[in-house]
Amino acid sequence: MLTVYGDIRSGNCLKVKWLLDRLGRDYRWVETDVLSGATRRADFLARNPAGQVPAVVLEDGRALAQSNAILGWLGEGTVYVPADAYDRARMYEWLFWEQYSHEPCIAVVRFQRLLGGKRPDEIEPRLMERGHAALARMEVALAQADWLVGAGPTLADLALVAYTRVAHEGDFDLTGYPAVRAWVARVEGAFGIS
């Protein structure tokens, strides 16, 4: 059986769980608390030298890390990966952007506020600026289309909803992003996220 090592508080871990659940795949979830140092133990590092979650151990014992790589592997051959090569490349464009321009701001601020106990005045202002710039880019795209790529939900939508839906926990108010708010509801409905 597929084994997923993940911290349930992490959007990166949840998006893997949500896709597995949506696809009806059997898996074993091993809760791995990143704050306790569980990802720095020798046994975990032997599985995933990067020392991060999520990490997946396949049925044959091979390991795979990085949330969007895992999504790509799980999504192969499903409706969540576009058949058209250009649309598929655009989906990957959003997946790469999510990890480079969205998650490092919105998820980091959320972590610092929610789990790190930092006050708003202790948050690096540049993180807030970059987070709002990411949300603004999404707003422009989603004001023109229901989904990030094509006519239905893709892995890009799933990846980006993970931290966008809880952006308020990092003091990112989505009130000024109506298209993003409507999209969050669509993605939650499409993937059965509650």
Side-chain angles (χ1 to χ4, degrees):
M1 178 181 293
L2 189 73
T3 302
V4 181
Y5 293 85
D7 188 320
I8 203 70
R9 300 168 295 191
S10 163
N12 285 325
C13 297
L14 282 172
K15 60 189 173 185
V16 170
K17 182 182 185 323
W18 293 332
L19 184 58
L20 284 164
D21 290 343
R22 186 67 182 163
L23 296 174
R25 295 278 305 265
D26 288 331
Y27 65 95
R28 182 173 68 100
W29 180 273
V30 178
E31 185 62 25
T32 309
D33 182 358
V34 297
L35 295 179
S36 73
T39 60
R40 297 291 174 215
R41 291 193 319 249
D43 61 329
F44 187 85
L45 291 170
R47 242 180 251 106
N48 179 10
Q52 298 171 320
V53 289
V56 172
V57 177
L58 311 182
E59 292 88 345
D60 63 7
R62 292 179 296 165
L64 185 59
Q66 297 301 320
S67 60
N68 289 347
I70 296 167
L71 289 184
W73 180 77
L74 290 169
E76 193 71 32
T78 71
V79 297
Y80 303 118
V81 176
D84 177 76
Y86 179 75
D87 283 348
R88 193 167 51 254
R90 287 193 56 235
M91 178 196 74
Y92 281 112
E93 178 182 7
W94 280 109
L95 289 173
F96 299 147
W97 179 82
E98 185 261 345
Q99 285 293 293
Y100 185 78
S101 298
H102 182 280
E103 192 265 359
C105 310
I106 294 173
V108 167
V109 173
R110 175 185 178 256
F111 180 89
Q112 291 177 357
R113 292 281 288 124
L114 188 67
L115 301 175
K118 285 191 173 184
R119 298 183 318 268
D121 63 325
E122 295 177 302
I123 301 298
E124 171 62 44
R126 183 77 178 118
L127 287 175
M128 296 302 293
E129 292 168 17
R130 289 182 63 215
H132 280 291
L135 292 168
R137 177 169 187 233
M138 292 175 66
E139 180 70 19
V140 168
L142 293 165
Q144 301 170 34
D146 286 344
W147 308 101
L148 292 170
V149 178
T154 69
L155 298 180
D157 296 291
L158 180 61
L160 276 153
V161 83
Y163 284 111
T164 304
R165 70 192 292 269
V166 292
H168 63 280
E169 294 175 353
D171 298 325
F172 291 99
D173 183 2
L174 295 183
T175 302
Y177 306 101
V180 170
R181 285 194 333 270
W183 166 83
V184 166
R186 281 192 300 278
V187 177
E188 289 175 335
F191 286 96
I193 300 167
S194 55

